[in-house]
C-alpha cells in the first residue's frame, strides 16, 4: 500500500535526531546533500517532542487569516531571510552525531596510553518546566572543554544523567494521580531533547538515571557497606516533620517554620531515623580540602560547616532548692575555658534530655509552652544571629566550679541539642548572643577578659582575646589572673582534668547525616526487621536491587508511617537466611543518595557485577573538572566526598577525593527591568526622590521608552525622570524566564552557546539581553559569508567556499597564530568570553583581505568548533573534508608568528633625524632606502639629490649623507 507523505506526521517523515538509534541510515552529510529550506516548512520543524518555530523572538506565528492577516499556509510560501541556514545545518549535524555516535567514549578497548580528561556537569533534576537559558551556561562551558580536549588527543569522558528521585515528582503525583515514574520519564525525555538541540557532545551511551533499578542497586550496595562498618545506624532524633507533606525535611527545606515547597507548617518531633556517621570522617574531610583546586569560598563554606573547634567539656553540678549539690551534673562544651569565671548562667537546649529533671514546679508550664514553640522552628531559624533571643528560666540553679557561685539555668532555643552537649555556659561579657540575652532578662554580666589596648566599647560584648582579670579562687586552687587568653585556657583545662571538673575536647558543628525520608519516590533501604525480635537484618547483596513496589496511592498516611507501608504484600516478607517472618523498612533514602556517587557509574555504566571496574576507575578518576551551581557547595559536595572516602577505605576507588577541580558558574538574570513611581496625582517620581518612593508602588516602563543618560537610565520623553534599573533571577512568578527552545528557533543553537559564553566571565552572574544575542548571531553570519560567500538571489548559499588554494601571506599567518594563541590560552583558563573576542578580531581583519587561503580558514574553523560546533562541522564539510572535525588536531600557535617582526627605523639626513619608517627586522639597506624614498615626509629631502653614502645599522638607524653641492636651497 502506498502512503502519501504529506499525510504523515513530521516525526515519521523526519525521525527524531534525539533517539539513540535511527530508523534508517544517514550517510555522512556532504556538501551535495545539505538540507534545503524547501525540505521543511519554514515555520515549523519538529525534533522529538519539541517544536522549533521560527518566529520573531518571544512571539508565536499565529493563523491570523480571520483577522485579515497572513495565514500560516500563506506564510510558508514567503521566503525567510536568515544570516545563515542554521535551521538546516543544526538539525543535520545533530542527526549525524547521533547516528554515528561521534562522541561515544570507548568502554572496554580504550587506549589508556593516551591522557584522559573527565569533565562533568552536576546532573540535573528533570523538572516539568524544562530548561531555561540559565541551565546551558555551565553545560556549554564543559562542552567547550570536552571538544577542545578531544581535539588535543585526550580520551574524553563527558556524560550526562538524571537525578530523578525526589519530593517534587511525588507531590505532583499526589496532586494529579499520575505515577511519579511517568512524569519523571516524560521530563527526562524533554530535557534530553533540549540538551541535544544545543549540540552538547555528551556520550549518551553512558546515560544513567537514579530511578533505574540497575543504578540504585549499587546505591543500596553502598548503604550495606556503610551498615557493615557501623557508619549507618538508627537513632531517635528530633527532625523537621511536615504533616501535610508527610515527610521529614532538611533544615534548608524549612523557611520561617513552613516547608519551602507548599508553605506547610513544620514541627520538630523525635522520630526513628537512619543516620550516616559522617562525623567519623570530619578530620579527613577538613584536611583534604587543602589539596583541591576548588573556589576558596566553597572550601571555606565546608570548613565552617564541619566547624572543628578545640575547647573543653566542663561539669556544672545541679543544686537543690536548699543550695546543696544534687547527684546530677550538666556537661557544657566551651571553646573559651579561659572565661569560666565570667559564666553567670547556663543555657540548655529545649530538647536537652535532662530538662525535665531541672524544671521547678512553678516554672513547668512556662517551660512546656516554650519547648512546644521551639519545636516549630528549624535549626537555621533558631541560630539566626539577627533574631531576638528568647528563653525561659527553669527555676533551677547550678554551681560554677571555678568560683562556687550559684548560677541560674535557662532554656533557650538559640542553643541546639545537636551541637556539643546541648548546653552552654553563658559568658555575657564576652559573647554577643549571651550579652543580648543577659540584657533582656537582667542576668549579671561579669568582665573577665581585658583587651590588650585596655579599651572596652560600651554597650557591647568583647569576644576577642586579651588578659584575664577577676579570675582567681584559692579555695579550688585556680588563679589565671594576668595570663593571656591562650595561657589561661590551657591552665583551666589542666585544672579541670586534675580536679575532675572537665576535660579537653575537640568538637565539630558537623552532625551525622539524617538518611531517611517518609516518602514513596526514593530508593528503598535494603534492611528488614525480624517480627519476633525486632532485630535489624541487612539484605544479602545477591538480593539487590530491592525494587520499589508499584503504588496507586502515594499520599501521606497521616500517622507518620511512610507511604510504602501501604504496599502490604511488599512490606511483609521473610528472612532469606533463617526463614523467619520479617517486615521491610518503609522509609526511603533521601534524594542526595543517588547523586553521591553517580560520577563513578559514568566510568562503567553497564557493569552488572560491581559498582565500577577497578581498572576503569584508576584510569578515569578523579573527575578533572566538575561544573555546577554554588548552591551545592556544602551538602552535595560534602556528602559525595564522604561516600568517596568510605569507598576509598574499602578499596573500591583509588583516589582520596572525587573532584579535583570544581567550578561554580554564575547565574543568568532576566532582562533588566526599568521602573518608576507616580505620586498621588499621577506625576512621575524620579529615582532621586528616595524619600517618597517607599510610599508608592513601582511601575514597570517598557525598554523602548528608556534611554541611557550618563550612568543612569531615564525616560526618553522626560529625561529628568531617572529610573530604577534592576535584573532579577529568572522565575516563573516574575515572568522573566527565557525558554532556550525559543532562542534556538530564532537564532540557532550556536548563537545561544556563543552568547552565553560571551556575556562575561563564566563564574560571574550576568544579565540576559536579547540585543546581545543578536550581536553574536551577526558574528556567526559574517563568519558564514566570509567563508561561503554571499547568498544567491533565492536566499540559499553555494555548496562550496570562497577560500583559495594559495599560500598565506606573512601578515595573514601572524593574524591567525595570534588568534590561535589567544583562544587556546583563554579556553585553558575558562575565560571563554575573551576567546570569542579574539575570534571576532580575527574576522574583522580577514574581511580586509583580498583572498582567503584555505589553510588559514580551516584553522579558524577548528578554533571556532568548540564554541559553535554545528556551523564549524558544516564549514569543514564544505571545505572538502569527508570526516567530522570532532577529532581533528586543535591548531597550535607557531611562536615565530607571534613576535612582532617589524621595527620602527629612524631615518637621518646628513645626521639629523627627519622621520621614521616601519621595516622588517631582516630588512636590507637597499630596501630601507627605497622605503625612505617613498615616504611622503622623507621624500622631499631625497628627491633629485645625489647620495654621497649611506650608513645603515639594521634595526637601529639609516643615515643618508647627501652630496652637499647638490642640496636644494631652502630644504635644510
Amino acid at each position: 500500500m502506498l502512503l502519501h507523505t504529506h499525510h504523515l506526521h513530521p516525526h515519521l517523515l523526519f525521525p527524531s535526531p534525539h533517539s539513540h538509534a535511527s530508523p534508517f541510515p544517514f550517510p555522512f552529510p556532504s556538501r551535495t546533500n545539505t538540507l534545503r529550506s524547501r525540505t521543511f516548512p519554514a515555520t515549523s520543524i519538529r525534533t522529538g517532542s519539541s517544536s522549533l518555530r521560527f518566529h520573531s523572538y518571544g512571539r508565536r506565528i499565529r493563523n491570523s487569516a480571520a483577522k485579515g492577516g497572513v495565514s500560516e499556509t500563506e506564510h510558508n510560501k514567503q521566503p525567510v531571510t536568515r544570516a545563515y541556514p542554521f535551521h538546516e545545518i543544526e538539525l543535520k549535524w545533530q542527526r549525524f552525531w547521533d547516528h554515528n555516535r561521534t562522541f561515544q567514549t570507548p568502554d572496554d578497548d580504550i587506549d589508556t596510553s593516551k591522557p584522559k580528561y573527565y569533565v562533568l556537569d552536576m546532573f540535573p533534576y528533570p523538572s516539568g518546566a524544562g530548561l531555561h537559558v540559565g541551565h546551558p551556561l555551565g553545560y556549554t562551558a564543559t562542552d567547550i572543554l570536552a571538544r577542545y580536549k578531544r581535539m588535543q588527543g585526550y580520551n574524553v569522558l563527558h556524560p550526562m544523567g538524571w537525578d530523578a528521585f525526589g519530593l517534587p515528582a511525588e507531590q505532583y503525583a499526589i496532586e494529579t494521580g499520575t505515577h511519579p515514574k511517568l512524569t519523571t520519564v516524560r521530563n527526562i525525555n524533554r530535557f534530553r531533547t533540549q540538551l541535544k538541540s544545543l549540540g552538547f557532545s555528551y556520550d549518551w551511551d553512558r546515560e544513567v538515571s537514579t530511578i533505574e533499578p540497575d543504578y540504585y542497586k549499587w546505591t543500596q550496595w553502598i548503604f550495606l557497606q556503610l551498615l557493615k562498618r557501623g557508619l549507618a545506624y538508627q537513632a531517635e532524633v528530633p527532625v523537621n516533620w511536615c504533616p501535610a507533606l508527610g515527610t521529614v525535611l532538611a533544615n534548608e527545606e524549612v523557611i520561617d517554620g513552613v516547608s519551602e515547597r507548599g508553605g506547610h507548617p513544620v514541627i520538630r518531633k523525635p522520630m526513628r531515623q537512619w543516620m550516616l556517621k559522617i562525623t567519623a570522617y570530619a578530620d579527613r574531610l577538613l584536611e583534604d580540602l587543602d589539596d583541591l583546586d576548588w573556589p576558596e569560598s566553597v572550601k571555606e563554606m565546608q570548613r565552617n560547616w564541619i566547624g572543628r573547634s578545640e575547647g573543653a567539656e566542663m561539669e556544672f553540678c545541679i543544686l537543690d532548692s536548699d543550695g546543696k549539690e544534687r547527684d546530677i551534673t550538666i556537661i557544657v562544651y566551651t571553646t573559651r575555658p579561659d572565661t569560666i569565671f565570667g559564666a553567670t548562667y547556663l543555657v540548655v537546649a529545649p530538647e536537652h534530655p535532662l530538662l525535665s529533671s531541672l524544671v521547678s514546679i512553678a516554672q513547668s508550664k512556662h517551660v512546656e509552652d516554650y519547648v512546644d514553640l521551639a519545636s516549630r522552628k528549624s535549626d537555621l531559624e533558631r541560630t539566626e544571629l539577627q533574631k531576638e533571643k528568647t528563653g525561659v528560666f527553669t527555676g533551677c540553679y547550678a554551681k560554677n566550679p571555678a568560683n562556687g557561685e550559684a548560677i541560674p539555668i535557662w532554656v533557650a532555643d538559640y542553643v541546639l541539642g545537636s551541637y556539643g552537649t546541648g548546653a552552654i555556659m553563658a559568658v555575657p561579657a564576652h559573647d554577643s548572643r549571651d550579652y543580648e540575652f543577659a540584657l533582656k532578662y537582667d542576668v549579671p554580666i561579669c568582665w573577665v577578659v581585658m583587651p590588650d589596648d585596655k579599651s572596652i566599647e560600651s554597650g557591647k560584648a568583647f569576644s576577642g582575646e586579651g588578659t584575664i582579670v577577676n579570675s582567681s579562687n584559692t579555695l579550688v586552687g585556680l588563679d589565671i589572673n594576668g595570663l593571656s587568653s591562650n595561657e589561661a585556657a590551657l591552665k583551666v583545662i589542666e585544672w579541670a582534668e586534675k580536679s575532675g571538673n572537665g576535660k579537653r575536647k575537640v568538637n565539630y558543628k558537623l552532625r551525622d547525616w539524617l538518611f531517611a525520608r517518609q516518602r514513596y519516590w526514593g530508593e528503598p533501604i535494603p534492611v528488614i526487621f525480624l517480627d519476633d525480635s525486632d532485630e535489624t537484618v541487612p539484605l544479602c547483596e545477591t538480593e539487590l536491587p530491592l525494587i520499589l513496589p508499584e503504588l496507586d496511592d502515594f499520599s501521606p498516611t497521616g500517622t507518620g508511617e511512610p507511604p510504602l507501608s501501604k504496599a502490604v504484600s511488599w512490606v511483609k516478607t521473610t528472612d532469606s537466611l533463617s526463614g523467619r517472618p520479617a517486615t521491610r523498612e518503609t522509609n526511603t533514602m533521601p534524594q542526595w543518595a543517588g547523586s553521591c556517587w553517580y560520577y563513578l557509574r559514568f566510568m562503567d555504566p553497564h557493569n552488572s557485577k560491581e559498582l565500577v571496574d577497578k581498572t576503569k576507575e584508576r584510569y578515569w578518576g578523579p573527575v578533572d573538572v566538575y561544573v555546577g551551581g554554588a548552591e551545592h557547595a556544602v551538602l552535595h559536595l560534602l556528602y559525595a566526598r564522604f561516600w568517596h572516602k568510605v569507598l576509598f577505605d574499602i578499596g573500591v576507588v583509588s583516589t582520596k577525593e572525587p573532584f579535583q577541580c570544581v567550578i561554580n558558574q554564575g547565574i543568568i538574570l532576566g532582562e533588566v527591568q526599568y521602573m518608576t513611581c507616580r505620586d498621588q496625582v499621577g506625576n512621575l517620581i524620579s529615582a532621586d526622590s528616595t524619600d517618597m518612593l517607599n510610599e508608592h508602588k513601582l511601575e514597570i516602563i517598557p525598554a523602548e521608552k528608556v534611554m541611557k543618560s550618563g550612568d543612569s537610565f531615564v525616560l526618553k520623553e522626560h529625561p529628568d525622570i531617572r529610573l530604577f534599573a534592576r535584573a532579577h533571577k529568572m522565575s516563573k512568578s516574575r515572568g522573566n524566564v527565557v525558554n532556550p527552545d525559543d532562542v534556538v528557533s530564532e537564532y540557532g543553537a550556536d548563537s545561544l552557546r556563543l552568547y552565553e559564553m560571551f556575556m562575561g566571565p563564566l563564574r560571574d552572574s550576568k544579565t540576559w539581553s536579547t540585543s546581545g544575542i543578536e550581536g553574536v548571531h551577526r558574528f556567526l553570519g559574517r563568519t558564514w559569508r566570509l567563508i561561503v560567500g554571499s547568498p544567491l538571489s533565492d536566499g540559499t548559499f553555494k555548496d562550496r567556499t570562497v577560500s583559495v588554494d594559495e599560500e598565506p601571506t606573512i601578515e595573514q599567518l601572524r593574524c591567525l597564530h595570534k588568534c590561535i594563541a589567544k583562544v587556546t590560552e583563554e579556553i585553558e583558563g575558562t575565560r571563554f568570553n575573551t576567546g570569542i573576542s579574539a575570534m571576532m578580531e580575527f574576522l574583522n581583519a580577514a574581511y580586509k583581505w583580498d583572498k582567503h587561503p584555505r589553510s588559514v580558514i580551516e584553522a579558524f574553523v577548528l578554533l571556532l568548533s568548540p564554541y559553535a560546533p554545528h556551523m564549524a562541522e558544516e564549514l569543514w564539510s564544505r571545505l572538502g573534508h569527508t570526516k567530522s572535525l570532532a577529532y581533528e588536531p586543535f591548531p597550535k600557535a607557531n611562536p615565530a608568528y607571534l613576535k612582532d617582526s617589524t621595527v620602527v627605523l629612524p631615518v637621518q639626513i646628513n645626521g639629523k633625524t627627519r622621520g621614521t619608517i616601519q621595516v622588517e627586522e631582516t630588512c636590507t639597506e637597499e630596501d630601507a632606502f627605497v622605503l625612505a624614498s617613498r615616504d611622503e615626509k622623507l621624500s622631499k629631502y631625497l628627491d633629485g639629490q645625489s647620495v654621497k653614502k649611506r650608513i645603515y645599522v639594521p634595526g637601529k638607524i639609516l643615515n643618508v649623507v647627501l652630496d652637499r653641492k647638490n642640496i636644494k636651497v631652502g630644504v635644510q
Side-chain angles (χ1 to χ4, degrees):
M1 181 174 66
L2 296 175
L3 294 176
H4 295 284
T5 57
H6 64 273
H7 293 306
L8 290 177
H9 193 279
H11 288 187
L12 300 178
L13 280 172
F14 303 104
S16 168
H18 310 294
S19 58
H20 287 300
S22 181
F24 56 86
F26 286 91
F28 185 94
S30 67
R31 292 164 301 172
T32 57
N33 68 1
T34 303
L35 298 174
R36 292 294 177 209
S37 57
R38 62 177 177 273
T39 306
F40 294 101
T43 54
S44 180
I45 296 178
R46 291 192 176 272
T47 60
S49 62
S50 66
S51 174
L52 307 185
R53 294 189 178 275
F54 307 122
H55 50 75
S56 178
Y57 182 69
R59 297 194 299 266
R60 299 291 184 197
I61 295 173
R62 295 179 174 86
N63 188 335
S64 57
K67 299 180 181 179
V70 181
S71 70
E72 189 164 319
T73 304
E74 292 171 328
H75 182 93
N76 291 345
K77 298 176 184 177
Q78 298 176 355
V80 179
T81 303
R82 294 185 176 88
Y84 69 99
F86 63 85
H87 58 298
E88 299 173 357
I89 64 177
E90 291 184 351
L91 287 170
K92 165 185 170 181
W93 286 100
Q94 288 162 21
R95 289 177 171 179
F96 168 77
W97 294 329
D98 254 8
H99 178 71
N100 292 276
R101 286 178 164 79
T102 303
F103 308 113
Q104 181 184 22
T105 304
D107 196 15
D108 295 317
D109 56 349
I110 194 162
D111 180 3
T112 56
S113 66
K114 295 172 64 176
K116 67 91 181 179
Y117 191 74
Y118 186 178
V119 56
L120 182 65
D121 300 293
M122 291 185 185
F123 68 172
Y125 178 82
S127 69
L131 299 175
H132 64 63
V133 293
H135 293 113
L137 180 64
Y139 302 157
T140 303
T142 58
D143 196 58
I144 291 171
L145 292 171
R147 289 175 177 274
Y148 169 69
K149 289 295 184 179
R150 283 192 200 97
M151 298 173 77
Q152 285 194 318
Y154 284 72
N155 287 326
V156 172
L157 185 57
H158 186 39
M160 176 52 71
W162 317 103
D163 188 12
F165 275 127
L167 185 58
E170 184 161 333
Q171 282 304 110
Y172 185 80
I174 293 169
E175 293 163 7
T176 64
T178 309
H179 196 284
K181 182 162 188 177
L182 295 177
T183 56
T184 301
V185 170
R186 182 171 66 231
N187 294 343
I188 286 173
N189 290 337
R190 172 162 168 72
F191 265 62
R192 188 190 304 111
T193 296
Q194 288 184 297
L195 291 176
K196 287 193 174 186
S197 76
L198 294 170
F200 298 133
S201 61
Y202 295 123
D203 178 359
W204 288 105
D205 288 323
R206 292 177 182 260
E207 179 183 4
V208 299
S209 174
T210 58
I211 64 173
E212 296 302 326
D214 286 347
Y215 180 87
Y216 67 70
K217 166 186 177 178
W218 297 106
T219 310
Q220 293 170 337
W221 181 86
I222 295 173
F223 178 85
L224 291 180
Q225 311 316 304
L226 294 164
L227 189 59
K228 286 178 187 177
R229 286 155 182 80
L231 296 171
Y233 64 95
Q234 294 181 84
E236 189 165 279
V237 294
V239 297
N240 300 316
W241 170 252
C242 179
L245 296 177
T247 190
V248 171
L249 299 177
N251 287 332
E252 296 73 28
E253 298 171 309
V254 181
I255 299 174
D256 296 330
V258 298
S259 62
E260 183 180 26
R261 182 175 179 85
H264 304 294
V266 176
I267 62 173
R268 297 280 288 180
K269 64 182 266 187
M271 292 184 68
R272 180 186 65 83
Q273 298 288 303
W274 281 100
M275 310 290 292
L276 297 188
K277 202 170 185 180
I278 190 173
T279 50
Y281 283 74
D283 282 327
R284 288 166 63 181
L285 290 168
L286 193 61
E287 293 162 5
D288 292 343
L289 281 170
D290 294 338
D291 299 326
L292 297 176
D293 180 15
W294 288 21
E296 193 55 41
S297 59
V298 172
K299 293 199 282 189
E300 193 59 29
M301 287 173 71
Q302 291 211 358
R303 291 187 187 107
N304 292 337
W305 191 267
I306 295 167
R308 186 183 192 276
S309 61
E310 296 184 8
E313 282 186 349
M314 306 295 294
E315 291 190 15
F316 286 71
C317 188
I318 307 303
L319 303 177
D320 62 19
S321 56
D322 297 325
K324 296 179 180 179
E325 295 184 7
R326 295 168 59 185
D327 59 355
I328 303 175
T329 59
I330 288 184
I331 299 175
V332 305
Y333 173 75
T334 177
T335 58
R336 293 292 301 271
D338 57 311
T339 65
I340 189 166
F341 283 91
T344 58
Y345 66 102
L346 296 186
V347 181
V348 296
E351 55 273 18
H352 196 285
L354 291 179
L355 179 59
S356 60
S357 305
L358 306 177
V359 180
S360 67
I361 295 174
Q363 290 296 105
S364 61
K365 184 64 170 72
H366 299 296
V367 171
E368 184 181 331
D369 291 344
Y370 184 81
V371 169
D372 180 63
L373 187 65
S375 72
R376 303 178 188 279
K377 300 179 183 179
S378 71
D379 288 355
L380 290 180
E381 290 177 272
R382 287 170 54 179
T383 55
E384 172 61 46
L385 292 177
Q386 271 65 48
K387 85 176 189 73
E388 184 181 0
K389 306 300 179 289
T390 63
V392 173
F393 176 45
T394 64
C396 184
Y397 290 82
K399 186 175 84 169
N400 185 327
N403 56 23
E405 294 181 1
I407 59 177
I409 302 174
W410 288 71
V411 56
D413 64 7
Y414 74 88
V415 175
L416 301 178
S418 59
Y419 178 66
T421 64
I424 65 164
M425 65 176 206
V427 185
H430 305 293
D431 182 278
S432 58
R433 295 186 309 171
D434 299 344
Y435 185 81
E436 292 173 29
F437 191 94
L439 286 180
K440 181 174 181 179
Y441 294 106
D442 197 24
V443 180
I445 298 173
C446 177
W447 290 83
V448 295
V449 181
M450 181 63 65
D452 292 334
D453 61 3
K454 301 293 191 292
S455 63
I456 296 176
E457 190 173 353
S458 177
K460 287 188 177 181
F462 171 66
S463 58
E465 297 179 350
T467 303
I468 304 301
V469 296
N470 303 324
S471 299
S472 176
N473 184 3
T474 56
L475 293 177
V476 298
L478 181 61
D479 181 3
I480 54 175
N481 278 334
L483 298 180
S484 69
S485 293
N486 289 335
E487 292 172 325
L490 294 174
K491 189 168 182 179
V492 170
I493 293 172
E494 181 182 356
W495 166 81
E497 290 180 333
K498 284 182 179 179
S499 63
N501 287 307
K503 62 180 180 181
R504 187 184 310 274
K505 180 73 174 178
V506 174
N507 209 358
Y508 301 89
K509 288 182 182 177
L510 182 67
R511 300 294 90 198
D512 281 346
W513 178 9
L514 195 154
F515 195 74
R517 296 292 186 269
Q518 290 66 48
R519 299 175 181 167
Y520 165 70
W521 195 233
E523 298 94 334
I525 296 175
V527 299
I528 58 175
F529 306 99
L530 298 181
D531 290 349
D532 55 7
S533 64
D534 207 29
E535 179 187 352
T536 302
V537 177
L539 292 187
C540 294
E541 292 179 11
T542 55
E543 297 179 70
L544 302 181
L546 174 60
I547 295 177
L548 190 68
E550 293 289 329
L551 271 185
D552 295 325
D553 180 11
F554 327 101
S555 59
T557 60
T559 63
E561 285 293 312
L564 266 184
S565 62
K566 299 175 183 180
V568 178
S569 60
W570 180 84
V571 172
K572 291 301 177 183
T573 186
T574 56
D575 178 16
S576 61
L577 295 178
S578 66
R580 294 154 68 186
T583 302
R584 295 193 191 279
E585 172 63 80
T586 53
N587 284 308
T588 54
M589 299 185 195
Q591 183 177 347
W592 298 105
S595 63
C596 278
W597 70 278
Y598 73 105
Y599 60 94
L600 293 171
R601 194 60 178 172
F602 281 137
M603 300 176 186
D604 193 12
H606 310 299
N607 193 332
S608 61
K609 296 180 180 178
E610 55 187 335
L611 185 148
V612 61
D613 177 80
K614 287 181 172 56
T615 302
K616 294 175 182 177
E617 185 278 329
R618 279 195 298 271
Y619 179 69
W620 287 115
V623 175
D624 294 285
V625 174
Y626 192 31
V627 177
E631 65 273 17
H632 301 297
V634 174
L635 297 183
H636 163 60
L637 288 176
L638 197 62
Y639 294 157
R641 293 181 63 217
F642 165 47
W643 277 31
H644 190 89
K645 290 182 182 299
V646 174
L647 294 173
F648 176 77
D649 289 348
I650 64 177
V652 174
V653 299
S654 60
T655 63
K656 291 193 302 181
E657 290 284 338
F659 316 115
Q660 184 54 40
C661 173
V662 166
I663 296 174
N664 297 136
Q665 82 275 16
I667 61 173
I668 294 183
L669 304 172
E671 292 211 53
V672 174
Q673 286 186 335
Y674 305 98
M675 294 166 286
T676 188
C677 300
R678 294 183 185 273
D679 61 21
Q680 311 235 342
V681 295
N683 296 318
L684 292 167
I685 304 173
S686 179
D688 305 300
S689 307
T690 52
D691 55 329
M692 298 179 63
L693 289 174
N694 292 333
E695 305 172 13
H696 303 281
K697 187 177 179 181
L698 288 170
E699 177 182 317
I700 296 177
I701 305 297
E704 59 268 19
K705 295 184 177 181
V706 177
M707 69 178 185
K708 190 90 184 291
S709 175
D711 294 332
S712 304
F713 293 93
V714 299
L715 280 172
K716 288 180 180 177
E717 295 181 357
H718 301 283
D720 56 318
I721 301 296
R722 191 163 65 86
L723 305 175
F724 286 104
R726 186 180 304 165
H728 298 277
K729 187 175 180 179
M730 289 188 182
S731 67
K732 287 191 290 186
S733 62
R734 289 192 179 274
N736 64 346
V737 173
V738 178
N739 189 328
D741 295 351
D742 295 337
V743 182
V744 168
S745 28
E746 179 67 14
Y747 298 104
D750 284 343
S751 291
L752 176 58
R753 292 168 59 109
L754 209 64
Y755 175 57
E756 297 217 348
M757 294 297 96
F758 191 57
M759 292 172 77
L762 174 64
R763 296 159 179 81
D764 292 357
S765 294
K766 297 161 277 280
T767 302
W768 180 267
S769 167
T770 301
S771 60
I773 195 169
E774 288 169 349
V776 296
H777 186 64
R778 285 194 297 271
F779 162 70
L780 289 175
R782 292 185 72 218
T783 300
W784 178 266
R785 291 190 299 276
L786 177 82
I787 299 172
V788 175
S790 300
L792 303 173
S793 58
D794 62 356
T796 62
F797 293 86
K798 293 181 180 178
D799 291 336
R800 296 175 298 279
T801 68
V802 295
S803 60
V804 295
D805 292 318
E806 292 184 7
E807 288 297 314
T809 65
I810 294 294
E811 187 54 40
Q812 288 172 332
L813 288 172
R814 281 196 196 121
C815 186
L816 171 67
H817 284 270
K818 285 181 180 179
C819 183
I820 293 171
K822 185 65 173 176
V823 171
T824 302
E825 178 185 357
E826 302 307 80
I827 290 180
E828 292 281 1
T830 63
R831 297 179 295 270
F832 304 112
N833 55 321
T834 45
I836 295 170
S837 296
M839 289 187 281
M840 290 178 170
E841 291 173 11
F842 171 88
L843 191 72
N844 289 337
Y847 259 93
K848 298 174 183 176
W849 302 342
D850 294 331
K851 295 179 180 180
H852 301 91
R854 181 180 301 276
S855 60
V856 173
I857 295 302
E858 286 183 344
F860 177 69
V861 168
L862 293 175
L863 287 181
L864 180 67
S865 64
Y867 290 87
H870 306 90
M871 173 179 281
E873 288 275 23
E874 181 66 21
L875 293 175
W876 191 250
S877 174
R878 290 177 179 237
L879 283 162
H881 299 280
T882 57
K883 291 183 179 179
S884 167
L885 54 63
Y887 296 91
E888 289 292 323
F890 198 79
K892 291 184 179 180
N894 186 336
Y897 298 117
L898 300 181
K899 295 185 296 184
D900 194 349
S901 61
T902 61
V903 295
V904 175
L905 187 73
V907 178
Q908 293 182 342
I909 308 295
N910 289 342
K912 189 170 184 178
T913 301
R914 296 296 186 179
T916 61
I917 56 175
Q918 192 161 351
V919 300
E920 295 288 331
E921 285 182 342
T922 57
C923 182
T924 64
E925 178 184 321
E926 184 59 33
D927 288 339
F929 180 74
V930 170
L931 287 170
S933 301
R934 294 174 181 172
D935 183 83
E936 182 179 352
K937 186 175 180 181
L938 295 169
S939 60
K940 64 182 181 182
Y941 297 102
L942 299 173
D943 285 351
Q945 301 300 309
S946 175
V947 177
K948 185 175 182 181
K949 66 176 179 177
R950 298 190 301 234
I951 303 169
Y952 180 60
V953 181
K956 300 294 184 182
I957 197 166
L958 170 65
N959 184 11
V960 181
V961 181
L962 303 177
D963 188 342
R964 300 193 69 84
K965 292 187 247 181
N966 298 320
I967 294 177
K968 293 179 181 177
V969 177
V971 170
Q972 289 198 331

